[in-house]
Amino acid sequence: MIPDHGIPLPRQVQTLPGVIFQPSFGYTIATMTKPIHGKTTVCAVIGDPVGHSLSPCMHNAAFAATELDYVYVAFYVRNVQQAAEGVKGFGIRGLSVTIPHKVEIMRYLDHIAPLAAKIGAVNTVINDNGILTGTNTDADGALRAIEEHDQVQGKTVAILGVGGAARAVAFAIACERCPQRLILLYRPEDESMAAALLAAIQPHTAVPLSTVKMNEATLRNTIPVTDILVHTTPVGMHPHTDACLVPESLFSERHLVFDIIYNPAKTLLLQRAESRGARVINGIPMFVYQGAEQFRLWTGLDAPVDTMKNAVESALGYK
């Protein structure tokens, strides 16, 4: 789910057809501090592009902190079928899957977790002796990020956006929790996507659902009665940091506002919300928590969440 947050792409080294090994600052740090040898377990992220990914620095920091003989690398993948075969052939323990491969990877898996099947996207693959199982930890990451601050139960939740990231958040909230109501706010060009998302969720939940086309009037009617607002579009992401979908006047102290963007650390949306007394969350907790669940699935151990968070914030220059 990770968009390009403006982090410079490192040098690419061609390896196999359709697959490029992507060096990363996180990988480099790990190899400098701990040797890699013939028994080292490999995990990886695949995507196109993938050079911007912060997953290598996050996971290698976690492996180092737990003294596991694991390493995490990034592969620029065009051919997803070949990549899936390579996971089995090379004995890669686990994959993170980022854009644009979260849907196509499902065709090459042996098993898919129920929530991931409902969402229609996989961001995590576990390889158990050649048997590939896919799941979606974005959903878990979103819920954990929100519920550090407030419970979803009984609340009116609105999601800005109906794209791939919104699917994971919407399914998690509607199928794993019981909000009072879930509203999907969509931009005019995304009307068909909104209808498709609503139709996909409805069979799996009794939560009242609705779609609302975003404009000045509908935002003015919806935002003030919302308890939890989740922003899932790229509006406001680096380098276009002066963009925002919601007028400042619509926010109040009642709101918890969660923006899945983490570059910049505080989008204009979050700045506006905070100035009106709302509680705000950026995208780092969701990213870290989805990674922590990946770590647990691959290793069987609880993840060192604070270490992972510190690694991501340092890579982004927050520290």
Side-chain angles (χ1 to χ4, degrees), residues 241 248 264 266-276 280:
T241 57
E248 182 176 314
K266 195 170 286 183
T267 59
L268 184 55
L269 177 78
L270 295 187
Q271 293 175 46
R272 288 179 174 181
E274 192 172 50
S275 73
R276 301 280 292 180
V280 299

Side-chain angles (χ1 to χ4, degrees), residues 79 179 195 225 255 263:
N79 188 311
V225 299
H255 292 117
N263 188 13

Side-chain angles (χ1 to χ4, degrees), residues 33-261:
T33 58
K34 186 174 182 179
I36 296 173
H37 53 78
K39 294 184 179 180
T40 300
T41 298
V42 178
C43 296
V45 56
I46 63 169
D48 177 12
V50 76
H52 64 278
S53 177
L54 296 179
S55 292
C57 76
M58 177 175 68
H59 281 294
N60 282 315
F63 295 150
T66 51
E67 299 184 344
L68 287 172
D69 187 14
Y70 278 59
V71 67
Y72 186 105
V73 297
F75 292 106
Y76 174 24
V77 167
R78 295 189 184 97
N79 188 311
V80 179
Q81 182 177 8
Q82 288 180 359
E85 292 169 352
V87 170
K88 293 183 179 183
F90 289 117
I92 293 172
R93 169 60 177 157
L95 285 184
S96 305
V97 183
T98 189
I99 53 175
H101 301 321
K102 292 185 180 185
V103 175
E104 187 179 356
I105 189 67
M106 299 173 74
R107 298 169 55 188
Y108 310 113
L109 303 177
D110 300 293
H111 303 290
I112 298 172
L115 182 58
K118 292 175 187 175
I119 294 170
V122 160
N123 80 319
T124 305
V125 176
I126 307 99
N127 179 9
D128 287 312
N129 298 315
I131 304 298
L132 302 186
T133 299
T135 187
N136 192 305
T137 65
D138 286 335
D140 178 78
L143 285 177
R144 287 188 66 180
I146 293 168
E147 292 184 335
E148 278 190 327
H149 300 268
D150 204 347
Q151 293 300 308
V152 173
Q153 184 82 15
K155 301 294 174 62
T156 295
V157 181
I159 298 176
L160 294 168
V162 291
R167 288 185 69 90
V169 177
F171 268 96
I173 289 172
C175 300
E176 301 294 302
R177 298 294 185 268
C178 190
Q180 183 179 44
R181 183 183 177 194
L182 177 60
I183 305 165
L184 304 173
L185 289 152
Y186 63 92
R187 292 175 289 180
E189 62 268 28
D190 295 331
E191 186 165 6
S192 61
M193 290 174 60
L197 179 55
L198 182 67
I201 298 175
Q202 280 181 322
H204 304 291
T205 182
V207 171
L209 305 172
S210 59
T211 58
V212 176
K213 184 183 295 185
M214 268 189 263
N215 57 45
E216 184 179 343
T218 57
L219 287 172
R220 190 168 57 247
N221 291 334
T222 304
I223 302 300
V225 299
T226 294
D227 299 302
I228 300 171
L229 179 67
V230 184
H231 176 236
T232 66
T233 83
V235 174
M237 187 173 71
H238 178 85
H240 306 293
T241 57
D242 58 350
C244 182
L245 294 172
V246 183
E248 182 176 314
S249 61
L250 300 183
F251 292 113
S252 71
E253 294 179 356
R254 77 173 284 162
H255 292 117
L256 174 63
V257 181
F258 172 33
D259 193 332
I260 69 167
I261 292 170

